[in-house]
Amino acid sequence: MYDSKLEANTARLLENMLEREEIKEVTPQFRLTFRHNRVNICTHKPDFLVILNDGREKLVEAKGARGDVWRIKWKLTQAFFPQYEYLINPTREEILK
């Protein structure tokens, strides 16, 4: 179901946070599409979109190796979707901050 043990562990953390009502919602494999001048450039699927109880939205990535393609998509995400804070291998405290 998950691509790695790290991703499965992150999913368990987020499920625990949902059960404890520390966060509002989790969407796995949240799809982002990068468009410019009505042209689809590419897509990116961070592991999770997390919605906090106060309404803030964070992208959570369980990432081991960070290849060149991933680095480009990470930078595109920051440029095209600045409304999301992008967290890589975060702790519970970092997610809630």
Side-chain angles (χ1 to χ4, degrees):
M1 182 166 157
Y2 296 105
D3 291 337
S4 69
K5 188 175 180 178
L6 181 59
E7 187 177 335
N9 289 340
T10 301
R12 277 193 286 282
L13 168 65
L14 295 173
E15 288 167 14
N16 179 266
M17 292 176 76
L18 273 172
E19 290 171 6
R20 295 170 62 157
E21 297 183 354
E22 295 176 323
I23 57 177
K24 183 177 180 180
E25 187 178 330
V26 175
T27 303
Q29 299 296 307
F30 184 70
R31 183 184 180 101
L32 299 170
T33 301
F34 304 109
R35 291 186 185 101
H36 183 69
N37 293 332
R38 294 187 231 159
V39 175
N40 289 345
I41 299 168
C42 65
T43 60
H44 179 47
K45 289 195 287 186
D47 295 322
F48 305 95
L49 170 67
V50 177
I51 301 176
L52 303 182
N53 291 335
D54 64 6
R56 289 181 292 146
E57 298 177 329
K58 299 187 179 192
L59 300 172
V60 172
E61 189 84 64
K63 201 72 179 156
R66 299 174 191 175
D68 291 339
V69 171
W70 180 84
R71 287 179 198 276
I72 291 168
K73 288 183 177 186
W74 176 63
K75 289 178 182 180
L76 285 169
T77 301
Q78 292 175 320
F80 279 75
F81 300 99
Q83 70 270 29
Y84 298 118
E85 184 177 354
Y86 202 131
L87 305 173
I88 304 163
N89 303 329
T91 63
R92 170 183 264 113
E93 292 76 22
E94 290 170 328
I95 293 168
L96 294 173
K97 186 167 53 168

